[in-house]
């Protein structure tokens, strides 16, 4: 045993020459505030101080730390919070919080250096960006982090008590927040999955015996499907539980696999070829994964192409005829193009993970999930357990973005292995798995034709989307264009192109960003051809009242009014300003319940909902506190447990819309119960007395369920079939996605105005500023809503500029399966973001609030594209806008 000082106290190190410092901190010393994400020095989540200097503990051999002093996030502000921690809490420099410990450690070191050199001067954005550029945050909490670090360095949090913007902020800035990957039971085993190495074929032989012989192995299981087929690289084949990850890896390496490879269809173009090998045939199509969140409807198949999966046709023949005629006559008002979008990986910083433990016939599963309630039900059903004997827990979730919606393979494997080994088992995906087999927003090819009349009317819109869904189906992109820009004639159709790649999954506003990328550029182009202001044209073509108000707001922005056309610019760097519109559906989940209780003189709110970084606790506490005239901190919120009253899933931006109305109803009931049980009458005329009455109240419990809205949903939503025939519409499809979801009246909307700088020599694009206007009803927790809006923009910037999955077209291996190769935005890529909330439009919803998470990311990529057009006069039709693509487009224009 060697010695080391950890957080000021001597500690002993194990004699494992191979161990990295992070493993010792987390596994041997239980200091789980230090997080493992990339494991390769890219993301900064594992940062600790070594003799006061930040280092990546995932790359630091433990032996190199012998005799030195290590400070982890737990050691920072142990006796008193550090100003940086307070500033993060006050400025909401965090969402899911998984990256937060790394940022805190690095930022405190920067703070010390800065103060020593500069006193209480305020560092610039560039200085903060440079200091924290080794850290990644997938939620995009950078906007708050900039403000927090600047203010902490400037001394604005020295010795000051703070009020946290979100309830769990203290736990997240101190490393105390426990995520699924941090759970450690006595005798817990590590589960690891063996995955297929071929894209298509059959597993002829699987010999698990050699794995069982490896020391430390407690359970081995086959994961083969009945037909033993492999349809993508990474298909689960077998799993092992062992006393350490090292032993489990050794064991899966020992498993003998004989596979029979078959020709594979890899990617959109290869899978569409008439002679492409078919991935599924009639007998096994049900095995296809699902890029949506529920079962899809029937659709025809032709080879690997399935569709149309969603179609909207209104005067389709007319649309076709008008567009064909315009093509023949070279009508300048026909905008026609093929757009391409890349595959976007969720890249959650907390990997998919589950820890399963049986106590007799009771099963407890910690899961990194977007729905504790649904996963609890699914487990009970699959394993034929009574629901009361299954507990699903997710205290904190390090991001999900749509990829953690259902009962995942990590959970099934953890349960199977725990049952076989008769011991608790943790399965946590490594980064390669996370970036290759946990789903993605499918790449797509979109064929668009938009025809305006000479009088400036929208005559016809045709949009056909082919989505690169991998071994999955149910994409909806084109059909989303139904609810915006009514035209004289429309023809919208979606196709899945199924291939031997891992299955896609829902991702934040699933088909919204690809649809908007194509449609919003086409509308922009139409405005140029009609010589109209792009906002004015949208205002003319788009009657939605929420968006009408946003157009008025956007048209008045200085950055919009003062933009310079491309023709008036020269020189290496050009600036441009673009606008784009987005919408998403207002969804809520029937059956969502909240329980309010007075316990020991304090209000306790409970629901089986979870917080994936969106601030669920704070939304509930703020709603209750406002009604009682107390502070959110006065309310105790219990979530993240399937045994609590049924709560909604964190998908479809539905948590706020599902929980605020029953919370308000429960408040009314609780007030009545408190008054009824009070020994004296409530004092009149002020809210303040509630505090005393709650404190004096006996214990009480009430609950309420989400009731219907005062106004039913849009008639087009309720009876879509009248207008469009029997193939259904996006809404029919959405209702199938979310089988337990109601689509409400009104359309959450966003309009974004983006300013970019284009380097015409190197093809780089920098997003300088984003004004994001959101019509999402009443804002419950303004700081957190701001964080959501800014984070959504940052994900949109990543989608437009950097993110894409790269595949080896021959083998089907994902090549971008590390954080080095899959590039997400860093803090220095973050533009200045101004958020405008328009709070009208949802008065028919109790509380007036709907979701923000998805709508806020829809228009970013087309707004950037339109800004680039404004800067250089070149329309880019493929994202990400890589420098080589932009430079090539410039060369083509110059030629
Ligand atoms: Fe160490 Fe990412 S986990 S840098
Ligand atoms: Fe940074 Fe979620 S808050 S990854």
């Amino acid at each position: 045993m060697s010695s080391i000082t950890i957080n000021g106290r001597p500690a002993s190190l194990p004699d494992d020459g191979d161990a990295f410092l992070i493993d010792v901190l987390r596994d041997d010393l239980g200091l789980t505030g230090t997080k493992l994400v990339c494991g390769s020095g890219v993301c900064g989540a594992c940062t600790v101080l070594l003799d006061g200097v930040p280092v990546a503990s995932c790359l630091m051999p433990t032996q190199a730390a012998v005799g030195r002093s290590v400070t982890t996030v737990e050691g920072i502000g142990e006796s008193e919070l550090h100003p940086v921690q307070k500033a993060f809490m006050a400025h909401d420099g965090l969402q899911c919080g998984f990256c937060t410990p790394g940022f805190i450690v690095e930022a405190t070191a920067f703070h010390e250096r800065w103060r020593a050199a500069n006193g209480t001067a305020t560092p610039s954005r560039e200085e903060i960006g440079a200091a924290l550029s080794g850290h990644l945050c997938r939620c995009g909490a950078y906007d708050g982090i900039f403000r927090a670090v600047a203010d902490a360095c400037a001394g604005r949090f020295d010795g000051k008590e703070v009020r946290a913007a979100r309830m769990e902020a203290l736990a997240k800035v101190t490393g105390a927040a426990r995520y699924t990957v941090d759970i450690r039971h006595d005798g817990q085993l590590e589960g690891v999955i063996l995955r297929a190495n071929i894209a298509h074929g059959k597993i002829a032989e699987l010999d698990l015996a050699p794995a069982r012989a490896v020391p430390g192995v407690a359970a081995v299981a086959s994961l083969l499907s009945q037909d033993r087929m492999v349809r993508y690289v990474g298909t689960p084949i077998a799993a092992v539980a062992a006393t350490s990850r090292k032993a489990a890896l050794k064991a899966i390496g020992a498993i003998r696999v004989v596979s029979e490879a078959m020709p594979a269809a890899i990617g959109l173009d290869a899978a569409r070829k008439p002679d492409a090998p078919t991935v599924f045939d009639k007998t096994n199509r049900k095995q296809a994964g699902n890029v949506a969140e529920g079962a899809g409807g029937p659709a025809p198949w032709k080879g690997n192409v399935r569709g149309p999966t969603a179609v909207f046709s209104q005067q389709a023949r007319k649309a076709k005829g008008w567009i064909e005629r315009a093509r023949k006559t070279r009508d300048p008002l026909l905008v026609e193009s093929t757009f391409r979008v890349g595959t976007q990986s969720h890249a959650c910083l907390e990997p998919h993970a589950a820890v399963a433990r049986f106590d007799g016939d009771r099963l407890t599963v910690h899961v990194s999930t977007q729905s504790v309630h649904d996963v609890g039900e699914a487990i009970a059903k699959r394993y034929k357990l009574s629901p009361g004997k299954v507990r699903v827990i997710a205290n904190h979730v390090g991001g999900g973005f749509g990829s953690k919606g259902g009962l995942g393979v990590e959970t099934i494997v953890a349960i199977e292995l725990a049952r076989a080994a008769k011991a608790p088992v943790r399965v946590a995906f490594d980064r390669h798995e996370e970036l290759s087999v946990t789903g993605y927003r499918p790449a797509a090819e979109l064929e668009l034709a938009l025809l305006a009349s000479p009088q400036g009317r929208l005559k016809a819109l045709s949009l056909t989307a082919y989505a690169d869904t991998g071994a999955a189906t149910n994409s909806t992109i084109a059909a989303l264009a139904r609810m915006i820009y009514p035209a004289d004639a429309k023809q919208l159709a979606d196709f899945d192109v199924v291939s031997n790649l891992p299955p896609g999954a829902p991702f934040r506003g699933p088909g919204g960003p690809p649809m908007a990328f194509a449609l919003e550029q086409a509308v922009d182009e139409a405005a140029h051809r009609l010589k109209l202001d792009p906002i004015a044209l949208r205002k003319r073509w788009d009657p939605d009242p929420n968006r009408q108000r946003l157009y008025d707001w956007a048209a008045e922005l200085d950055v919009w009014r003062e933009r310079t056309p491309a023709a008036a610019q020269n020189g290496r760097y050009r600036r441009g300003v673009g606008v784009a519109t987005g919408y998403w559906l207002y969804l809520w989940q029937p059956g969502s319940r909240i329980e309010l209780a007075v316990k020991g003189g304090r209000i306790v709110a409970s629901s089986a909902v979870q917080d994936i970084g969106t601030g669920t606790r704070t939304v509930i506490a703020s709603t209750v506190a406002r009604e009682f005239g107390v502070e959110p901190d006065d309310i105790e919120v219990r979530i993240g447990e399937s045994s609590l009253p049924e709560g909604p899933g964190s998908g479809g931006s539905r948590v706020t819309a599902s929980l605020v109305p029953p919370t308000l109803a429960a408040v009314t009931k609780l007030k009545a119960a408190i008054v009824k049980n009070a020994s004296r009458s409530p004092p009149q005329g002020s809210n303040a007395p509630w505090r005393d009455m709650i404190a004096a109240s006996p214990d009480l419990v009430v609950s309420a369920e989400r009731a219907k809205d005062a106004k039913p949903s849009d008639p087009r939503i309720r009876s879509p079939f009248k207008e469009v025939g029997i193939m259904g519409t996006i809404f029919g499809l959405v209702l199938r996605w979310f089988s337990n979801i109601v689509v409400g009246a009104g359309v959450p909307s966003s309009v974004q105005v983006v300013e970019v700088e284009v380097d015409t020599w190197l093809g780089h694009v920098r997003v300088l500023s984003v004004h994001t206007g959101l019509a999402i009803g009443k804002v419950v927790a303004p700081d957190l809503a701001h964080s959501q809006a800014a984070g959504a923009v940052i994900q949109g910037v990543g989608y437009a500029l950097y993110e894409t999955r790269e595949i080896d077209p021959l083998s089907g291996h994902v090549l971008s399966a590390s954080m080095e190769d899959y590039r997400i935005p860093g803090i220095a890529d973050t533009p200045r973001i101004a958020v405008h909330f328009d709070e009208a439009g949802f008065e028919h919803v109790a509380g007036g609030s709907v979701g923000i998470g998805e709508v806020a990311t829809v228009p970013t990529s087309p707004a950037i594209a339109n800004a680039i057009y404004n800067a250089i006069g070149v329309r880019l039709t493929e994202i990400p806008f890589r420098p080589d693509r932009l430079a090539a487009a410039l060369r083509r224009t110059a030629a």
Side-chain angles (χ1 to χ4, degrees), residues 837-870:
F837 290 117
D838 180 304
E839 299 195 71
F842 293 92
E843 292 76 10
H844 52 286
V845 184
S849 304
V850 297
I852 180 176
E854 291 169 296
V855 65
T857 200
V858 173
T860 310
S861 60
I864 293 172
N866 292 337
I868 293 171
Y869 180 80
N870 178 234

Side-chain angles (χ1 to χ4, degrees), residues 544-551 553 581-586 745-752 772-779 789 835-842 848-853 855-856 859:
D544 181 87
N546 291 337
R547 294 193 289 271
Q548 285 282 317
R549 295 191 304 279
L550 291 177
Y551 293 136
W553 157 80
T581 301
Y583 82 89
W584 195 244
L585 305 171
Y586 152 40
V747 183
S749 296
S750 55
V751 172
Q752 286 180 6
T772 176
L774 291 150
I776 42 111
K778 290 266 178 254
V779 176
V835 182
H836 164 77
F837 290 117
D838 180 304
E839 299 195 71
F842 293 92
S849 304
V850 297
I852 180 176
V855 65

